[in-house]
Amino acid sequence: MKSLSSIIRSLILRVATALRMPLGWIENAIYQDDRERVEKAPVFIIGSPRSGSTILYQMLTHSLQCVYIDNLAYCFYNNLPLGIWISKVLFKQKSHMSFSSNHGITIGLHAPSECTGYWRRWFGKENDYVSVNQETETLCGQLKSDFDKIYNKFDTNFIIKNLGNSQRISILQKCFPNAKFIYIQREPRYTVESLLKARLKDNIDDSKWWSVKPSNYRELSQLPLTQKLVAQVYYNELQIVNDLEGLCDSQKLIVAYEEIPNRYDEILKFTNCEVIRELPESIFNFEYKSADKGNSEEIKEEIAKYSWQHMGYSGV
């Protein structure tokens, strides 16, 4: 049964989608500003699905004075700066107090959202991987227009989590040369087990693809399920590592899931945002291992076929 906030969100989404053009006029009026453009470094949280990226996103958006896309702003993904302005007017600096999720989906209008619809506007539904090409300049101009509006209105940094962006680092860095990336790593076996558990919970057919699509996902789609999930994690993270290699150290932070509690102050500093509230102590009680579904040995055997050391995993 849907929650009340989910029902309200669905209604707002329908109205906002139907009124996209007039809402654009309102957005332009709100963001009409002749100030000099503010240069910021948006922070992108990246990694494999089921690696702990959502809880980190929730933690940072609770702790920091920042801009982020909540479930209310998501409803206006066709007019995202307007959606964020509406959210800021309604919620101001209130905490979302949302520290649970269902496969990245959070409950509550102020809870942080991946806002998949917004990123699909620019990159399409079929592929997550996008390389720099002749259309990049136009795309960058459109993205920068939205980000500039937001930065000039609120003069604070932007925290973003959409795991599809793990396959778009090169183009995002082209659009935002100062962009920062927090790469969450988790022991591959636990990531794959958690992926399997999520698919079973939602009764996803073994033949179907779910979540982030690396560049070779069509080829990987033909593999048996366990092989497919291991390959999904491997090639997703291989793309991340290869793309991050060209960035300076000040633009990337690699954090293991289980290290988040001990490195949280370092992560906060990396975002270059003001800390405005403490986290509840209970949030740091992470459950590191996913449920064993009886095929751990098969997963281990598949993982052993790949070279994970390049990604910084030791003993895999």
Side-chain angles (χ1 to χ4, degrees), residues 9 43-58 61 68-77 80 84 98 100-123 128 143 147 158-168 172 195 210-213 236:
R9 182 176 61 182
V43 179
F44 296 92
I45 299 172
I46 56 176
S48 285
R50 315 302 297 169
S51 62
S53 57
T54 299
I55 185 62
L56 179 61
Y57 186 31
Q58 292 169 318
T61 51
Y68 68 94
I69 305 171
D70 61 13
N71 285 324
L72 177 57
Y74 158 75
C75 297
F76 299 85
Y77 69 83
L80 185 63
I84 288 177
S98 173
S100 61
S101 65
N102 180 21
H103 305 169
I105 299 174
T106 57
I107 301 299
L109 288 177
H110 195 36
S113 167
E114 288 206 28
C115 201
T116 299
Y118 179 74
W119 299 103
R120 284 179 174 174
R121 276 186 63 197
W122 310 115
F123 300 112
D128 288 326
L143 279 173
F147 278 53
F158 200 170
I159 308 293
I160 301 148
K161 182 249 173 176
N162 181 283
L163 292 186
N165 286 333
S166 299
Q167 301 297 292
R168 306 165 188 146
L172 290 172
L195 271 170
W210 182 74
S211 196
V212 181
K213 299 173 180 175
N236 178 52

Side-chain angles (χ1 to χ4, degrees), residues 1-10 102 105-108 201:
M1 185 177 179
K2 286 188 175 182
S3 66
L4 178 59
S5 67
S6 296
I7 295 171
I8 294 173
R9 182 176 61 182
S10 296
N102 180 21
I105 299 174
T106 57
I107 301 299
K201 179 181 178 182

Side-chain angles (χ1 to χ4, degrees), residues 10 17 21 25 48 57 59 82 88 95 121 130 150 184 214 219 233 251 279 292 312 315:
S10 296
T17 301
M21 186 171 292
W25 301 334
S48 285
Y57 186 31
M59 293 165 72
L82 175 63
K88 284 289 189 181
S95 169
R121 276 186 63 197
V130 179
I150 293 164
I184 300 299
E219 175 187 342
V233 174
Q251 289 183 271
L279 280 168
D292 187 342

Side-chain angles (χ1 to χ4, degrees), residues 253-266:
L253 184 65
I254 302 173
V255 182
Y257 171 60
E258 63 272 13
E259 293 178 347
I260 291 176
N262 292 332
R263 297 182 63 187
Y264 192 60
D265 287 343
E266 178 188 356

